[in-house]
């Protein structure tokens, strides 16, 4: 018989005020969910008595609004239901070490109430209600996992890429043709040459001739020429602009700290701006309606792919205000953990900005700061200890000085902020780890759960420091199988061994949380799962053959699943209410078409999402 866990009644402490953090936690606790469960049972009896209906497969909802919203469905899902494995099958993965594979899960309204055998969850149900429990069984090959989370993403930027996607082109000329097609398809832009044309996703490392583009290329086509065009690179670390934009930016500074204005042999700007130099490019801010459109496009794909929560890696003032407004209006259909962008040129705000914790029906939190330490490997901006192998003239660059890092990190920690730092190169990672270590003298680093976003290239002596300092490695496995084709040329045969060294980090007792960095990479979390456990391309190849690129750095399936569920919850301070299937937690879970924990690795990518459930209700598919 399966082990059982259930929610028990307890009184909330008088010190847990409803509007305090403790009170908010209590509101999502086991006692609260069980009390609501018992109360709704009594309401169900009253309703049954009033309408004298006999329900064979479900009982009446205790909230009229829920009933009305589901009225049009042929097979409505009751507010309380049990979802069970087929007899003798192991189809539920809770990521709860105390009860990893129960036969059934019991959901009431927005919480998990109990897990265990069907007899057990029925007995828990009947303790609080005499109504009939709806029981559903999974399909023969299906499994249930906790709601999936992406620990590093760019939500509104992903929606923007849907407007004019540039990924997959093989040359500058082909990319310009994409821009032309976009203009021709939009009469408003076609008829007004003053309107900005924006796109995302060009990748010069994938072009047949690997070179930086120029503004002249945008002037060769008569439809594109003369327009203000701003095109973001795939990795988000470079902007390619047209002549009209370039002229509007004059005069340009000779240099910019933490960035590069790409110039030709005569010293003239070519129209490409790297890292901090991107801040020089001005463009009109999108309207709230445009942002809503972008957000809706992102959420649609996220739900389809099983994501119930996302960590947005860089709220600027515009996006922060957008998400705050949507949360207050009750219009966040996905959980968002936002990192507030740090601008090194602005005044320190950690002691004056009020943190946002679980507002909008527990959908929005902003309690971390995002700092950029360096650039990207793809664009040559990652800060290295030694020069690039394929470009010995540079070691990349820091986007922020070590002195400023050592000044602001302890301040943010002292003021209760989680500090998340983008670091790609080995030098950048070492500098940030030094700053975290120095901050130990002023704050408890582990308690504040600092994160290194990407942690891509690590010196061997730095790999052990994650576990020692309690620093979370927020990594993106799909980056590994994208970069593996050019990484050794860029870093050399020895240094490349420290790139995407997931196993080396884990073996030093560190915690890894997984993301995609979408739209830089595919949003599909199963693509990240596949990359983490195989280190081969979707076609099954790698520079080291079908066995994988540095296969000794692979993660196990259990580690990868944790990295998409309970570890992101820990990294966002929500492990008590999210991240696993356990009584008292919010009922976020995903039904997958096949068992990713046992199928052949090549079959993982053919798995599709049957249903995505948030707060006990499907937001995609059906149960």
């Amino acid at each position: 018989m399966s082990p059982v866990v259930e929610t028990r009644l307890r009184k909330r402490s008088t010190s847990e005020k409803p509007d305090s953090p403790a009170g908010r936690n209590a509101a999502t606790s086991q006692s609260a969910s069980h009390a609501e469960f018992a109360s709704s049972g009594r309401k169900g009896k009253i309703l049954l008595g009033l309408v004298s209906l006999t329900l064979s497969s479900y009982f009446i909802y205790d909230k009229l609004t829920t009933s009305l919203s589901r009225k049009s469905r042929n097979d409505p899902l009751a507010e309380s239901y049990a979802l069970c494995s087929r007899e003798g099958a192991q189809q539920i993965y809770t990521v709860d070490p105390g009860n990893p594979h129960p036969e059934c899960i019991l959901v009431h309204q927005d919480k998990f109430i109990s897990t265990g055998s069907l007899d057990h969850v029925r007995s828990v149900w009947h303790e609080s209600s005499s109504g009939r429990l709806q029981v559903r069984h999974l399909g023969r090959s299906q499994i249930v996992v906790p709601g999936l989370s992406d620990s590093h993403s760019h939500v509104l930027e992903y929606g923007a890429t849907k407007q004019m996607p540039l990924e997959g082109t093989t040359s500058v000329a082909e990319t310009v043709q994409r821009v032309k097609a976009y203009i021709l398809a939009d009469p408003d832009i076609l008829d007004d040459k003053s309107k900005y044309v924006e796109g995302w996703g060009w990748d010069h490392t994938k072009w047949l001739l690997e070179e930086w583009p120029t503004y002249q290329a945008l002037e060769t086509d008569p439809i594109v020429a003369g327009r203000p065009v701003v095109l973001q690179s795939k990795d988000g670390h470079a902007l390619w602009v047209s002549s009209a934009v370039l002229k509007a930016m004059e005069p340009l500074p000779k240099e910019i700290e933490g960035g590069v204005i790409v110039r030709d042999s005569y010293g003239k700007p070519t129209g490409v701006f790297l890292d901090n130099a991107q801040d020089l490019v001005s463009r009109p801010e999108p309207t709230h309606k445009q942002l809503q459109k972008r957000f809706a496009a992102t959420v649609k794909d996220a739900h389809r792919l099983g994501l119930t929560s996302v960590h947005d890696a860089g709220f600027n003032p515009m996006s922060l205000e957008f998400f705050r407004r949507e949360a207050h209006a009750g219009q966040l259909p996905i959980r968002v953990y936002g990192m507030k962008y740090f601008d090194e040129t602005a005044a320190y705000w950690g002691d004056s900005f009020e943190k946002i914790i679980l507002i909008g029906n527990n959908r929005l939190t902003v309690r971390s700061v995002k700092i950029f330490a360096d650039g990207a490997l793809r664009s040559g901006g990652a800060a290295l200890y030694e020069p690039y192998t394929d470009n010995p003239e540079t070691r990349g660059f820091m986007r922020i000085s070590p002195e400023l890092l050592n000044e602001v990190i302890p301040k943010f920690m002292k003021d209760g902020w989680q500090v998340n730092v983008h670091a790609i190169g080995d030098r950048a990672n070492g500098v940030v780890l030094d700053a975290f270590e120095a901050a130990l003298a002023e704050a408890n680093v582990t308690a504040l759960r600092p994160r290194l976003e990407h942690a891509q290239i690590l010196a061997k002596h730095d790999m052990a420091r994650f576990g020692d300092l309690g620093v979370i490695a927020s990594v993106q496995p799909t980056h590994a199988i994208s970069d593996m084709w050019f990484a050794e040329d860029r870093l050399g045969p020895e240094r490349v061994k420290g790139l995407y060294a997931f196993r080396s980090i884990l073996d030093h007792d560190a915690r890894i949380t997984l993301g995609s960095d979408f739209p830089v990479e595919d949003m599909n979390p199963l693509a990240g799962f596949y990359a983490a456990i195989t280190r081969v391309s979707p076609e099954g190849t790698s520079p080291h053959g079908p066995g994988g690129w540095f296969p000794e750095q692979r993660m196990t399936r259990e580690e990868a699943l944790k990295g998409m569920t309970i570890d992101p919850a820990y990294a966002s301070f929500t492990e008590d209410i999210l991240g696993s299937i356990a009584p008292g937690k919010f009922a976020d879970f995903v039904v997958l078409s096949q068992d990713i924990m046992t199928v052949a690795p090549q079959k993982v990518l053919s798995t599709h999402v049957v249903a995505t459930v948030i707060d006990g209700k499907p937001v995609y598919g059906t149960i």
Side-chain angles (χ1 to χ4, degrees):
M1 182 177 292
S2 302
V4 295
V5 183
E6 62 195 73
T7 302
R8 295 296 187 189
L9 289 170
R10 71 173 177 86
K11 291 183 179 180
R12 185 165 63 193
S13 166
T14 55
S15 65
E16 294 173 348
K17 298 178 182 179
D19 59 348
S20 68
R24 284 191 290 270
N25 288 338
T28 59
S29 68
Q30 297 176 350
S31 63
S33 57
H34 210 300
E36 292 167 4
F37 180 53
S39 173
S40 64
R42 291 191 291 273
K43 293 176 186 175
K45 293 178 187 178
I46 294 170
L47 287 170
L48 285 170
L50 289 171
V51 298
S52 301
L53 290 176
T54 302
L55 303 172
S56 59
S57 63
Y58 66 98
F59 71 25
I60 283 180
Y61 309 131
D62 65 345
K63 291 183 179 177
L64 182 59
T65 54
T66 304
S67 178
L68 291 174
S69 69
R70 297 183 180 277
K71 193 174 181 179
S72 62
R73 295 193 182 184
N74 294 327
D75 189 13
L77 186 65
E79 285 199 326
S80 299
Y81 58 92
L83 186 60
C84 301
S85 302
R86 292 183 174 271
E87 186 176 355
Q90 181 176 290
Q91 294 177 274
I92 297 175
Y93 292 83
T94 66
V95 195
D96 176 7
N99 193 22
H101 304 293
E103 180 186 354
C104 300
I105 58 176
L106 177 60
V107 174
H108 174 66
Q109 295 183 352
D110 60 351
K111 304 287 195 323
F112 295 115
I113 299 302
S114 180
T115 60
S117 68
L118 179 55
D119 287 343
H120 174 72
V121 298
R122 274 179 170 152
S123 69
V124 172
W125 164 258
H126 288 302
E127 284 182 10
S128 301
S129 174
S130 61
R132 185 179 179 87
L133 176 65
Q134 178 181 166
V135 177
R136 299 195 172 200
H137 286 85
L138 292 162
R140 194 167 302 280
S141 62
Q142 296 172 356
I143 66 166
V144 169
V145 297
L148 302 178
S149 181
D150 191 308
S151 294
H152 189 107
S153 66
H154 303 278
V155 175
L156 296 177
E157 290 81 356
Y158 178 91
T161 67
K162 292 295 185 178
Q163 297 173 26
M164 192 204 333
L166 299 175
E167 190 169 359
T169 60
T170 58
S171 67
V172 171
E174 185 183 350
T175 308
V176 173
Q177 288 305 302
R178 290 266 188 104
V179 178
K180 175 182 179 179
Y182 173 77
I183 295 169
L184 290 172
D186 190 326
D188 289 341
I189 294 178
L190 181 62
D191 296 338
D192 186 351
K193 295 195 72 168
S194 69
K195 285 196 172 182
Y196 271 66
V197 179
E198 298 186 63
W200 184 302
W202 59 271
D203 183 359
H204 71 294
T205 69
K206 297 294 177 64
W207 292 341
L208 297 177
L209 178 60
E210 184 178 331
E211 61 180 357
W212 289 116
T214 66
Y215 71 86
Q216 288 98 332
L218 294 168
E219 305 305 315
T220 58
D221 188 280
I223 298 296
V224 181
R227 299 177 185 272
V229 181
V230 180
L231 306 176
Q232 184 76 63
S233 66
K234 175 181 169 66
D235 62 10
H237 288 265
L239 283 176
W240 169 21
V241 306
S242 65
S243 176
V245 175
L246 204 55
K247 287 178 181 176
M249 297 168 61
E250 294 177 346
L252 288 171
K254 276 198 166 185
E255 295 182 349
I256 185 163
E257 188 174 352
V260 173
I261 301 170
V262 179
R263 301 177 186 270
D264 62 20
S265 57
Y266 298 100
K268 294 182 178 180
T270 63
V272 172
F273 298 82
L274 307 182
D275 292 297
N276 286 357
Q278 294 177 105
D279 295 337
L280 298 172
V281 180
S282 61
R283 45 190 152 167
E285 285 197 353
T287 65
H288 188 77
K289 186 175 180 180
Q290 289 173 321
L291 293 177
Q292 285 181 315
K293 184 178 179 180
R294 295 179 185 182
F295 184 44
T298 303
V299 170
K300 181 180 178 181
D301 284 355
H303 285 169
R304 176 176 57 84
L305 295 170
L307 290 173
T308 58
S309 64
V310 290
H311 298 189
D312 192 295
F315 275 0
N316 59 28
M318 177 189 67
S319 55
L320 174 61
E321 182 54 34
F322 170 80
F323 282 105
R324 191 204 299 266
R325 180 172 169 180
E326 295 297 288
H328 282 306
Q331 295 177 2
L332 286 184
I334 194 167
R335 303 190 196 279
V336 179
Y337 183 76
M339 309 175 199
K340 192 172 184 299
Y341 177 69
F342 174 73
D343 181 355
E344 59 267 24
T345 65
Y348 175 75
W349 46 260
D351 55 353
S352 58
F353 184 86
E354 185 177 353
K355 301 175 189 70
I356 300 169
I357 299 178
L358 293 172
I359 67 168
N361 195 26
N362 300 292
R363 297 291 173 91
L364 178 65
T365 293
V366 183
R367 57 172 299 175
S368 62
V369 58
K370 165 73 176 298
I371 301 173
F372 279 92
D374 66 344
L377 181 63
R378 191 180 250 104
S379 56
L384 305 177
Y385 285 121
E386 301 298 332
Y388 281 84
T389 302
D390 61 349
N391 187 7
E393 294 180 359
T394 180
R395 296 190 302 155
F397 50 83
M398 295 290 292
R399 291 180 61 171
I400 186 172
S401 70
E403 292 77 18
L404 185 54
L405 273 176
N406 281 287
E407 177 187 339
V408 299
I409 286 179
K411 282 185 179 180
F412 277 114
M413 289 182 171
K414 183 179 179 182
D415 289 320
W417 288 86
Q418 181 190 46
V419 179
N420 304 341
V421 185
H422 163 113
I424 302 288
D426 51 9
R427 179 177 174 231
N429 278 285
V431 167
V432 176
L433 287 169
D434 287 345
F436 282 147
E437 188 168 11
L440 279 168
E442 300 184 44
N444 187 327
V445 169
T446 304
L448 293 172
R449 305 179 187 183
R451 295 166 47 160
L452 264 174
E453 303 298 319
H454 307 303
Q456 283 187 9
I457 311 166
L458 296 171
K460 193 170 183 179
H461 67 273
D462 283 331
M463 294 176 182
R465 301 174 73 190
F466 286 84
D468 294 341
L469 297 174
V471 174
I472 298 166
S474 175
V475 304
Q476 300 75 44
T478 46
H479 280 338
I481 62 174
S482 290
D483 294 359
M484 63 185 178
W485 303 106
F486 66 83
E488 187 165 335
D489 289 343
R490 191 145 295 180
L491 298 174
E494 285 304 312
R495 186 167 45 183
V496 75
K497 295 176 183 178
L499 180 62
Y500 303 109
F502 303 149
R503 172 57 47 201
S504 296
I505 298 172
L506 286 167
D507 286 348
H508 287 102
D509 299 321
R511 192 184 294 260
I512 278 186
T513 183
L514 305 185
S516 67
D517 202 8
F518 71 71
V520 177
E521 297 286 356
D522 186 354
M523 179 191 283
N524 186 1
L526 296 185
F529 183 91
Y530 169 83
I533 67 171
T534 66
R535 293 178 75 93
V536 298
S537 71
E539 296 74 30
T541 61
S542 83
H544 295 166
W549 184 63
F550 295 111
E552 67 275 10
Q553 295 294 346
R554 288 183 301 216
M555 298 174 67
T556 68
R557 298 190 198 216
E558 290 74 18
E559 289 166 342
L561 184 59
K562 283 183 59 184
M564 297 157 52
T565 54
I566 193 64
D567 288 337
Y570 176 85
S572 58
F573 303 89
T574 54
E575 73 274 16
D576 290 338
I577 57 173
L578 297 172
S580 62
I581 297 173
K585 291 192 175 186
F586 286 112
D588 293 4
F589 63 92
V590 179
V591 181
L592 298 175
S593 63
Q594 59 182 341
D595 191 348
I596 60 171
M597 306 301 286
T598 60
V599 297
Q602 296 80 4
K603 292 186 176 181
V604 168
L605 292 178
S606 66
T607 306
H608 67 269
V609 172
V610 176
T612 302
V613 179
I614 299 179
D615 286 337
K617 300 174 180 63
V619 293
Y620 173 81
T622 57
I623 300 175

